[in-house]
Amino acid sequence: MLVHVPQVLTPDHAETALAQLMAAEWVDGRATAGPLAARAKDNRQLPEASPLARELGETIVRALEKNPPFMSAALPKRIFPPLFNRYDEGMGFGAHVDNAIRHVPGSSFRIRTDLSATLFLSPPETYDGGELVIEDTYGAHKVKLPAGDLILYPATSLHRVTKVTRGSRIAAFFWIQSLVKDDGERTLLFELDGAIRELGTDHPEHPSVVRLTATYHNLLRRWSEL
């Protein structure tokens, strides 16, 4: 399931974050890649221990926790602290799959990467290329979103970033361990939640709202891991 979550950050907040990141010191992005991904990766990354990375990462996580579409789609148990990457002209990232387990720096926690997320920070008109290409059973999907928007997709997906041919493409990326491990079950819950919201808006007194809400929570109770 691919989910576009608009305006996780407002345009003003995204613009402020981008200005800070444009002035930051970047390092070789291969430092955080596995052996296979490192051979395909050509970008720069903000050091994980950077105060700016931590500050902006905390801002993003707080915004996500207040974002109903994200919470409904991801059902997050843990969110990996957001990282930040930069693709300048000629840079890209070949096809790869993200590591299944990630260690949270500075802690004893590890998370299972059920979902991957990219939060775009560079306005799409400021760079050419740099599309995130995600492959699933329906083919390849090219993603290039407005600044502040996020794409959420299964971490099992083969994906790549096409070469930037003009400008710079800066984004945040991170992973989520979901309360519901299975993508199919998570998709059913997301669709059911959306249908309940629509029905509740159009027909708030309809008795089916209560029954469907009960069904949603009983399925979540059955499938969730705590």
Side-chain angles (χ1 to χ4, degrees):
M1 176 177 65
L2 275 66
V3 179
H4 172 197
V5 184
Q7 289 200 7
V8 171
L9 297 181
T10 66
D12 286 345
H13 287 157
E15 184 178 1
T16 298
L18 179 63
Q20 293 175 294
L21 290 165
M22 288 291 288
E25 295 289 332
W26 298 82
V27 299
D28 190 332
R30 287 172 291 189
T32 58
L36 183 61
R39 294 200 293 269
K41 190 174 187 180
D42 181 17
N43 66 9
R44 291 191 282 172
Q45 192 165 303
L46 204 63
E48 293 184 54
S50 159
L52 179 59
R54 291 180 176 177
E55 177 188 345
L56 293 179
E58 290 171 0
T59 297
I60 290 170
V61 171
R62 286 196 300 269
L64 292 170
E65 290 172 344
K66 298 176 182 178
N67 188 293
F70 171 82
M71 297 299 289
S72 177
L75 295 170
K77 180 178 182 179
R78 291 196 183 110
I79 299 176
F80 192 91
L83 304 174
F84 299 85
N85 58 21
R86 175 174 180 161
Y87 294 82
D88 294 321
E89 188 173 332
M91 293 182 176
F93 197 164
H96 64 285
V97 173
D98 293 331
N99 291 347
I101 305 295
R102 302 286 305 201
H103 174 253
V104 179
S107 76
S108 60
F109 290 109
R110 295 185 177 188
I111 76 166
R112 182 186 63 236
T113 58
D114 298 322
L115 292 157
S116 297
T118 295
L119 176 63
F120 290 77
L121 294 170
S122 295
E125 67 273 12
T126 63
Y127 65 99
D128 294 330
E131 292 92 351
L132 174 63
V133 182
I134 304 165
E135 297 185 18
D136 62 16
T137 55
Y138 299 101
H141 307 272
K142 286 188 175 182
V143 183
K144 188 174 182 178
L145 299 180
D149 285 18
L150 177 142
I151 189 72
L152 187 67
Y153 59 99
T156 54
S157 304
L158 193 66
H159 58 284
R160 58 190 172 89
V161 176
T162 64
K163 281 189 178 182
V164 171
T165 58
R166 177 185 65 91
S168 297
R169 182 249 210 206
I170 293 178
F173 66 100
F174 53 96
W175 301 272
I176 300 100
Q177 180 172 339
S178 179
L179 290 167
V180 177
K181 177 181 179 181
D182 183 82
D183 182 60
E185 294 170 350
R186 212 167 43 243
T187 300
L188 288 173
L189 287 168
F190 179 63
E191 295 293 341
L192 179 57
D193 185 46
I196 292 169
R197 290 175 186 272
E198 289 181 13
L199 181 60
T201 298
D202 296 339
H203 306 283
E205 303 302 324
H206 199 288
S208 293
V209 174
V210 174
R211 294 202 301 272
L212 288 171
T213 301
T215 298
Y216 173 89
H217 285 286
N218 286 333
L219 288 173
L220 179 59
R221 186 177 291 110
R222 177 184 290 267
W223 291 336
S224 63
E225 302 173 348
L226 291 176

